[in-house]
PDB file of all heavy atoms in Angstrom:
ATOM      1  N   ASN F 255     -12.885  84.470  13.615  1.00 98.00           N
ATOM      2  CA  ASN F 255     -13.395  84.613  12.358  1.00 98.00           C
ATOM      3  C   ASN F 255     -14.795  85.193  12.368  1.00 98.00           C
ATOM      4  O   ASN F 255     -15.136  86.087  11.577  1.00 98.00           O
ATOM      5  CB  ASN F 255     -13.333  83.273  11.556  1.00 98.00           C
ATOM      6  CG  ASN F 255     -13.501  83.513  10.125  1.00 98.00           C
ATOM      7  OD1 ASN F 255     -13.525  84.542   9.537  1.00 98.00           O
ATOM      8  ND2 ASN F 255     -13.660  82.307   9.437  1.00 98.00           N
ATOM      9  N   ALA F 256     -15.658  84.647  13.258  1.00 98.00           N
ATOM     10  CA  ALA F 256     -17.031  85.122  13.310  1.00 98.00           C
ATOM     11  C   ALA F 256     -17.078  86.596  13.713  1.00 98.00           C
ATOM     12  O   ALA F 256     -17.817  87.407  13.186  1.00 98.00           O
ATOM     13  CB  ALA F 256     -17.793  84.270  14.266  1.00 98.00           C
ATOM     14  N   VAL F 257     -16.247  86.995  14.740  1.00 98.00           N
ATOM     15  CA  VAL F 257     -16.173  88.375  15.174  1.00 98.00           C
ATOM     16  C   VAL F 257     -15.708  89.261  14.022  1.00 98.00           C
ATOM     17  O   VAL F 257     -16.313  90.339  13.832  1.00 98.00           O
ATOM     18  CB  VAL F 257     -15.262  88.475  16.356  1.00 98.00           C
ATOM     19  CG1 VAL F 257     -14.869  89.910  16.682  1.00 98.00           C
ATOM     20  CG2 VAL F 257     -15.776  87.827  17.591  1.00 98.00           C
ATOM     21  N   LEU F 258     -14.747  88.859  13.327  1.00 98.00           N
ATOM     22  CA  LEU F 258     -14.218  89.624  12.125  1.00 98.00           C
ATOM     23  C   LEU F 258     -15.268  89.763  11.045  1.00 98.00           C
ATOM     24  O   LEU F 258     -15.427  90.871  10.423  1.00 98.00           O
ATOM     25  CB  LEU F 258     -12.942  89.066  11.621  1.00 98.00           C
ATOM     26  CG  LEU F 258     -11.677  89.140  12.500  1.00 98.00           C
ATOM     27  CD1 LEU F 258     -10.491  88.399  11.997  1.00 98.00           C
ATOM     28  CD2 LEU F 258     -11.341  90.617  12.822  1.00 98.00           C
ATOM     29  N   ARG F 259     -15.987  88.719  10.781  1.00 98.00           N
ATOM     30  CA  ARG F 259     -16.968  88.802   9.779  1.00 98.00           C
ATOM     31  C   ARG F 259     -18.102  89.781  10.127  1.00 98.00           C
ATOM     32  O   ARG F 259     -18.698  90.578   9.393  1.00 98.00           O
ATOM     33  CB  ARG F 259     -17.702  87.424   9.508  1.00 98.00           C
ATOM     34  CG  ARG F 259     -16.737  86.498   8.760  1.00 98.00           C
ATOM     35  CD  ARG F 259     -17.419  85.159   8.447  1.00 98.00           C
ATOM     36  NE  ARG F 259     -16.419  84.266   7.792  1.00 98.00           N
ATOM     37  CZ  ARG F 259     -16.131  84.208   6.614  1.00 98.00           C
ATOM     38  NH1 ARG F 259     -16.703  85.030   5.726  1.00 98.00           N
ATOM     39  NH2 ARG F 259     -15.208  83.332   6.139  1.00 98.00           N
ATOM     40  N   ARG F 260     -18.495  89.761  11.487  1.00 98.00           N
ATOM     41  CA  ARG F 260     -19.511  90.750  11.981  1.00 98.00           C
ATOM     42  C   ARG F 260     -18.986  92.170  11.726  1.00 98.00           C
ATOM     43  O   ARG F 260     -19.693  93.124  11.391  1.00 98.00           O
ATOM     44  CB  ARG F 260     -19.867  90.413  13.432  1.00 98.00           C
ATOM     45  CG  ARG F 260     -20.840  89.281  13.624  1.00 98.00           C
ATOM     46  CD  ARG F 260     -21.397  89.259  14.950  1.00 98.00           C
ATOM     47  NE  ARG F 260     -20.405  88.939  16.009  1.00 98.00           N
ATOM     48  CZ  ARG F 260     -19.984  87.803  16.427  1.00 98.00           C
ATOM     49  NH1 ARG F 260     -20.514  86.655  15.924  1.00 98.00           N
ATOM     50  NH2 ARG F 260     -19.112  87.685  17.394  1.00 98.00           N
ATOM     51  N   GLU F 261     -17.743  92.319  12.125  1.00 98.00           N
ATOM     52  CA  GLU F 261     -17.081  93.685  12.004  1.00 98.00           C
ATOM     53  C   GLU F 261     -17.102  94.100  10.544  1.00 98.00           C
ATOM     54  O   GLU F 261     -17.372  95.265  10.235  1.00 98.00           O
ATOM     55  CB  GLU F 261     -15.677  93.675  12.578  1.00 98.00           C
ATOM     56  CG  GLU F 261     -15.058  95.065  12.596  1.00 98.00           C
ATOM     57  CD  GLU F 261     -13.722  95.049  13.239  1.00 98.00           C
ATOM     58  OE1 GLU F 261     -13.270  94.090  13.872  1.00 98.00           O
ATOM     59  OE2 GLU F 261     -13.058  96.134  13.095  1.00 98.00           O
ATOM     60  N   ILE F 262     -16.803  93.168   9.623  1.00 98.00           N
ATOM     61  CA  ILE F 262     -16.788  93.505   8.182  1.00 98.00           C
ATOM     62  C   ILE F 262     -18.236  93.918   7.808  1.00 98.00           C
ATOM     63  O   ILE F 262     -18.429  94.962   7.026  1.00 98.00           O
ATOM     64  CB  ILE F 262     -16.384  92.288   7.410  1.00 98.00           C
ATOM     65  CG1 ILE F 262     -14.818  92.182   7.491  1.00 98.00           C
ATOM     66  CG2 ILE F 262     -16.717  92.463   5.869  1.00 98.00           C
ATOM     67  CD1 ILE F 262     -14.340  90.868   6.894  1.00 98.00           C
ATOM     68  N   GLY F 263     -19.223  93.250   8.333  1.00 98.00           N
ATOM     69  CA  GLY F 263     -20.630  93.597   8.020  1.00 98.00           C
ATOM     70  C   GLY F 263     -20.978  94.967   8.467  1.00 98.00           C
ATOM     71  O   GLY F 263     -21.574  95.787   7.747  1.00 98.00           O
ATOM     72  N   LYS F 264     -20.614  95.259   9.736  1.00 98.00           N
ATOM     73  CA  LYS F 264     -20.897  96.607  10.275  1.00 98.00           C
ATOM     74  C   LYS F 264     -20.183  97.742   9.502  1.00 98.00           C
ATOM     75  O   LYS F 264     -20.744  98.767   9.144  1.00 98.00           O
ATOM     76  CB  LYS F 264     -20.395  96.688  11.797  1.00 98.00           C
ATOM     77  CG  LYS F 264     -21.339  95.922  12.715  1.00 98.00           C
ATOM     78  CD  LYS F 264     -20.711  95.969  14.067  1.00 98.00           C
ATOM     79  CE  LYS F 264     -21.553  95.121  15.050  1.00 98.00           C
ATOM     80  NZ  LYS F 264     -21.031  95.065  16.394  1.00 98.00           N
ATOM     81  N   LEU F 265     -18.855  97.471   9.171  1.00 98.00           N
ATOM     82  CA  LEU F 265     -18.119  98.453   8.390  1.00 98.00           C
ATOM     83  C   LEU F 265     -18.733  98.661   6.998  1.00 98.00           C
ATOM     84  O   LEU F 265     -18.756  99.774   6.485  1.00 98.00           O
ATOM     85  CB  LEU F 265     -16.709  98.132   8.320  1.00 98.00           C
ATOM     86  CG  LEU F 265     -15.877  98.154   9.657  1.00 98.00           C
ATOM     87  CD1 LEU F 265     -14.490  97.610   9.513  1.00 98.00           C
ATOM     88  CD2 LEU F 265     -15.853  99.622  10.214  1.00 98.00           C
ATOM     89  N   THR F 266     -19.159  97.582   6.438  1.00 97.00           N
ATOM     90  CA  THR F 266     -19.820  97.730   5.093  1.00 97.00           C
ATOM     91  C   THR F 266     -21.048  98.477   5.127  1.00 97.00           C
ATOM     92  O   THR F 266     -21.284  99.371   4.280  1.00 97.00           O
ATOM     93  CB  THR F 266     -20.040  96.200   4.561  1.00 97.00           C
ATOM     94  OG1 THR F 266     -18.894  95.465   4.463  1.00 97.00           O
ATOM     95  CG2 THR F 266     -20.690  96.319   3.126  1.00 97.00           C
ATOM     96  N   ASP F 267     -21.836  98.225   6.166  1.00 98.00           N
ATOM     97  CA  ASP F 267     -23.066  99.044   6.328  1.00 98.00           C
ATOM     98  C   ASP F 267     -22.776 100.525   6.537  1.00 98.00           C
ATOM     99  O   ASP F 267     -23.408 101.408   5.962  1.00 98.00           O
ATOM    100  CB  ASP F 267     -23.908  98.520   7.543  1.00 98.00           C
ATOM    101  CG  ASP F 267     -24.561  97.140   7.265  1.00 98.00           C
ATOM    102  OD1 ASP F 267     -24.595  96.778   6.029  1.00 98.00           O
ATOM    103  OD2 ASP F 267     -24.927  96.539   8.290  1.00 98.00           O
ATOM    104  N   GLU F 268     -21.687 100.781   7.355  1.00 98.00           N
ATOM    105  CA  GLU F 268     -21.281 102.124   7.701  1.00 98.00           C
ATOM    106  C   GLU F 268     -20.798 102.798   6.373  1.00 98.00           C
ATOM    107  O   GLU F 268     -21.137 104.006   6.063  1.00 98.00           O
ATOM    108  CB  GLU F 268     -20.193 102.180   8.667  1.00 98.00           C
ATOM    109  CG  GLU F 268     -19.815 103.583   9.105  1.00 98.00           C
ATOM    110  CD  GLU F 268     -18.706 103.690  10.200  1.00 98.00           C
ATOM    111  OE1 GLU F 268     -18.268 102.545  10.613  1.00 98.00           O
ATOM    112  OE2 GLU F 268     -18.336 104.762  10.577  1.00 98.00           O
ATOM    113  N   LEU F 269     -20.065 102.099   5.529  1.00 97.00           N
ATOM    114  CA  LEU F 269     -19.591 102.634   4.249  1.00 97.00           C
ATOM    115  C   LEU F 269     -20.808 102.949   3.322  1.00 97.00           C
ATOM    116  O   LEU F 269     -20.798 104.099   2.755  1.00 97.00           O
ATOM    117  CB  LEU F 269     -18.679 101.627   3.610  1.00 97.00           C
ATOM    118  CG  LEU F 269     -18.206 102.013   2.219  1.00 97.00           C
ATOM    119  CD1 LEU F 269     -17.364 103.255   2.277  1.00 97.00           C
ATOM    120  CD2 LEU F 269     -17.423 100.853   1.561  1.00 97.00           C
ATOM    121  N   LYS F 270     -21.726 102.092   3.230  1.00 97.00           N
ATOM    122  CA  LYS F 270     -22.970 102.396   2.420  1.00 97.00           C
ATOM    123  C   LYS F 270     -23.685 103.634   2.949  1.00 97.00           C
ATOM    124  O   LYS F 270     -23.975 104.601   2.149  1.00 97.00           O
ATOM    125  CB  LYS F 270     -23.968 101.242   2.434  1.00 97.00           C
ATOM    126  CG  LYS F 270     -23.463 100.053   1.671  1.00 97.00           C
ATOM    127  CD  LYS F 270     -24.489  98.897   1.820  1.00 97.00           C
ATOM    128  CE  LYS F 270     -24.023  97.690   1.147  1.00 97.00           C
ATOM    129  NZ  LYS F 270     -24.865  96.553   1.339  1.00 97.00           N
ATOM    130  N   HIS F 271     -23.833 103.789   4.350  1.00 97.00           N
ATOM    131  CA  HIS F 271     -24.512 104.905   4.951  1.00 97.00           C
ATOM    132  C   HIS F 271     -23.764 106.214   4.545  1.00 97.00           C
ATOM    133  O   HIS F 271     -24.284 107.242   4.099  1.00 97.00           O
ATOM    134  CB  HIS F 271     -24.668 104.666   6.433  1.00 97.00           C
ATOM    135  CG  HIS F 271     -25.179 105.963   7.099  1.00 97.00           C
ATOM    136  ND1 HIS F 271     -26.449 106.279   7.021  1.00 97.00           N
ATOM    137  CD2 HIS F 271     -24.569 106.786   7.905  1.00 97.00           C
ATOM    138  CE1 HIS F 271     -26.695 107.397   7.781  1.00 97.00           C
ATOM    139  NE2 HIS F 271     -25.524 107.732   8.288  1.00 97.00           N
ATOM    140  N   LEU F 272     -22.414 106.121   4.786  1.00 97.00           N
ATOM    141  CA  LEU F 272     -21.636 107.313   4.596  1.00 97.00           C
ATOM    142  C   LEU F 272     -21.577 107.717   3.123  1.00 97.00           C
ATOM    143  O   LEU F 272     -21.556 108.970   2.728  1.00 97.00           O
ATOM    144  CB  LEU F 272     -20.253 107.179   5.172  1.00 97.00           C
ATOM    145  CG  LEU F 272     -20.120 107.147   6.708  1.00 97.00           C
ATOM    146  CD1 LEU F 272     -18.776 106.740   7.054  1.00 97.00           C
ATOM    147  CD2 LEU F 272     -20.563 108.433   7.344  1.00 97.00           C
TER     148      LEU F 272
END
Side-chain angles (χ1 to χ4, degrees):
N255 193 7
V257 168
L258 291 172
R259 287 184 188 277
R260 284 193 295 271
E261 186 176 351
I262 288 171
K264 289 177 184 176
L265 291 172
T266 302
D267 290 344
E268 184 179 0
L269 175 63
K270 288 177 187 175
H271 172 73
L272 292 174

